[in-house]
Amino acid sequence: MMEKVLLKNAETPDSHTVGAYEASGGYQALATVLRDYQPDELIELVKESNLKGRGGAGFATGVKWGFVPKDPALKKYLCCNADEGEPGTFKDRAIMEKDPHQMIEGMILCAYAIGAETAYIYIRGEYTLSIQRLEAALQEAYDKGYLGQRILGSDFNLDIYVHCGAGAYICGEETALIESLEGRRGQPRLKPPFPAIEGLYASPTVVNNVETLACVPHIVTRGAEWFSAIGSASGPGPKLYCLSGHVRKPGLYELPMGIPLRELVEEHAGGAKPGRKIKAVIPGGVSAPMILESDLDVCMDFESLAAAGTMLGSAGVIVIDDNDCVVRVATRITEFFAHESCGKCSPCREGLSWAVKILRRLENGEGKEGDLEQLDFLCDGIFGNTFCALGDGAAWGLRRALQHFRDEFVYHVEKKECPFH
Ligand SMILES: Cc1cc2nc3c(=O)[nH]c(=O)nc-3n(C[C@H](O)[C@H](O)[C@H](O)COP(=O)(O)O)c2cc1C
């Protein structure tokens, strides 16, 4: 069993306070970096660790930081993506509620590496306890000289602000997040230019997920080699997995990257509920297509899951059992995406609400011949034809449900009823 890294302090009393964080070695990475590292050397260290972003896309963190232009005349920004809107995902919340200084120290280190003096935490507005804890932790960090002017006596200055989102899933997408921070409607921007070149206020901007940033202090204190030796070689490190759905022990598990999904579901989360059998699993939040029970030996890393036709995404693992109707699951998920579509791209805006109408019809026993072909057509029309990955995730998951469980969909059309309820 891997020692806990990201959740190591989670059960200690007052784990969210600066005192508890310092007692566990917190802010030593910052002192080390300000004393011994040039910004480029820190970027190199993060590259060597092979840390890949935990927000969904799995992009190499050090490489992203390295894209930021070095020109000192350019203002740079860091945005910590704490929007955590992907259904089935509750890992960033645990970090922010239990150990916010870990993420704040990661932010300070990233800002130092890229030369940013202003950083924002874009946080999901519903996360009230996280917001309170972050505000309190930031004040503590200012009081201790970890934030503000001349941090720990160095030439480095940094201010961090908390910005609360207003409940839109799309604002977790990095360019929509930036639009929203700028005070506009949260809608994605066309890429390129990527945020690292032209992001917030048209300036170079790094957007990183909470968990990604929380890994950074550990890479500094324990070394890139230590980090890259944990779990999967292609994307290593400690990982938070969110287990929900029909398992005996749902919850948050910290385990190495790359552990087999079967081990995660059957051993750690206790497997199927009594008398039930697992039918399928969504491995990475509802944007990730479900995989069949027979494929559960796949490893939980970016490459292995991509090869299995799905993705690690936000590591929101949702277990579907033999009592669940896949048409109903697909309807519920597609309803979410249709509701959250920002409306900018026609295929996503029109296609998803159209798909919802058909899916609801099937569930209500009013399916018609041609409905499944129409759903296939809609998936093809949405996938790859939108500015951001919201439409892709929605269409990809629906298409896979239609492929894997075609018989359930056909049953709904032909028998005009749901076999499960
Ligand atoms: C529709 C959509 C929603 C997203 N929501 C989140 C989110 O809530 N949190 C997050 O960290 N990344 C989210 N992402 C991914 C971000 O766009 C971006 O890849 C990530 O913040 C980069 O950080 P990382 O490199 O540390 O993973 C979302 C992407 C899409 C397309």
Side-chain angles (χ1 to χ4, degrees):
M1 179 78 74
M2 186 193 88
E3 56 161 324
K4 296 246 184 300
V5 178
L6 298 169
L7 297 181
K8 137 182 111 170
N9 295 332
E11 299 313 323
T12 55
D14 297 328
S15 62
H16 53 280
T17 62
V18 73
Y21 187 60
E22 286 173 331
S24 71
Y27 288 113
Q28 281 174 15
L30 177 61
T32 305
V33 161
L34 293 181
R35 193 184 57 232
D36 299 336
Y37 284 73
Q38 291 301 312
D40 271 352
E41 291 172 329
L42 179 56
I43 294 178
E44 273 316 303
L45 182 80
V46 175
K47 280 185 188 167
E48 279 166 33
S49 76
N50 205 6
L51 169 64
K52 301 243 170 95
R54 307 306 202 221
F59 196 81
T61 306
V63 174
K64 187 188 279 187
W65 295 6
F67 287 152
V68 174
K70 310 285 177 231
D71 182 354
L74 286 176
K75 194 160 170 58
K76 290 116 187 163
Y77 294 99
L78 164 64
C79 298
C80 174
N81 191 342
D83 205 42
E84 191 157 77
E86 182 73 18
T89 315
F90 41 87
K91 64 187 183 63
D92 297 341
R93 178 160 67 99
I95 294 174
M96 294 186 286
E97 288 183 1
K98 304 270 187 185
D99 203 354
H101 284 283
Q102 194 178 191
M103 169 192 125
I104 292 170
E105 188 177 16
M107 287 184 72
I108 305 170
L109 292 168
C110 172
Y112 175 77
I114 63 167
E117 296 201 337
T118 306
Y120 296 93
I121 300 169
Y122 190 101
I123 186 165
R124 183 180 171 145
E126 296 94 326
Y127 275 6
T128 45
L129 182 58
S130 297
I131 294 165
Q132 283 167 17
R133 294 253 157 110
L134 281 171
E135 295 278 17
L138 288 173
Q139 190 55 55
E140 288 178 323
Y142 275 104
D143 293 345
K144 288 267 183 177
Y146 299 133
L147 280 174
Q149 298 296 299
R150 300 189 55 78
I151 293 173
L152 298 181
S154 71
D155 291 337
F156 173 53
N157 311 318
L158 177 66
D159 288 307
I160 300 183
Y161 303 93
V162 176
H163 183 99
C164 299
Y169 169 69
I170 191 60
C171 289
E173 194 280 336
E174 58 185 8
T175 60
L177 181 155
I178 288 169
E179 284 281 300
S180 171
L181 254 185
E182 289 183 2
R184 281 195 283 275
R185 178 191 286 203
Q187 288 193 319
R189 294 177 180 172
L190 192 61
K191 293 190 271 193
F194 289 93
I197 306 300
E198 207 178 302
L200 188 63
Y201 307 122
S203 299
T205 303
V206 162
V207 182
N208 269 142
N209 170 259
V210 170
E211 186 187 356
T212 312
L213 291 163
C215 288
V216 177
H218 303 285
I219 293 170
V220 173
T221 46
R222 304 184 67 172
E225 219 171 289
W226 162 82
F227 189 89
S228 60
I230 299 173
S232 165
S234 65
K239 180 78 196 93
L240 300 181
Y241 299 100
C242 318
L243 268 293
S244 68
H246 289 141
V247 276
R248 287 177 203 232
K249 293 188 286 174
L252 187 65
Y253 292 87
E254 180 176 5
L255 291 158
M257 275 287 250
I259 71 156
L261 179 53
R262 189 177 295 286
E263 180 187 327
L264 188 59
V265 169
E266 291 184 354
E267 291 178 29
H268 298 282
K273 292 194 171 164
R276 308 256 195 105
K277 279 194 190 129
I278 292 171
K279 179 154 96 175
V281 175
I282 293 173
V286 296
S287 298
M290 56 180 71
I291 58 174
L292 297 171
E293 197 281 339
S294 51
D295 293 329
L296 287 193
D297 294 314
V298 65
C299 290
M300 291 294 282
D301 60 51
F302 296 105
E303 281 187 0
S304 308
L305 284 161
T310 182
M311 63 177 183
L312 181 62
S314 59
V317 179
I318 304 169
V319 177
I320 298 163
D321 75 16
D322 57 353
N323 256 12
D324 295 322
C325 169
V326 167
V327 179
R328 186 162 191 181
V329 172
T331 306
R332 190 64 201 90
I333 292 174
T334 311
E335 283 171 345
F336 169 79
F337 283 122
H339 179 77
E340 294 297 339
S341 172
C342 76
K344 185 162 182 166
C345 311
S346 314
C348 174
R349 183 188 64 238
E350 303 299 325
L352 290 175
S353 50
W354 190 351
V356 165
K357 280 185 193 147
I358 297 173
L359 288 162
R360 284 187 182 153
R361 204 155 68 208
L362 296 179
E363 264 297 272
N364 291 337
E366 295 158 2
K368 297 189 297 212
E369 203 181 317
D371 274 353
L372 304 189
E373 292 69 23
Q374 187 68 48
L375 285 174
D376 293 333
F377 168 80
L378 288 171
C379 291
D380 291 347
I382 298 166
F383 192 85
N385 293 321
T386 54
F387 266 49
C388 85
L390 187 152
D392 288 346
W396 195 18
L398 178 56
R399 183 151 68 188
R400 193 54 50 79
L402 279 159
Q403 284 165 352
H404 281 327
F405 295 97
R406 194 83 180 180
D407 51 341
E408 284 188 27
F409 284 86
V410 170
Y411 187 100
H412 281 72
V413 177
E414 289 180 351
K415 305 277 186 210
K416 304 228 175 288
E417 62 176 24
C418 173
F420 295 91
H421 51 84

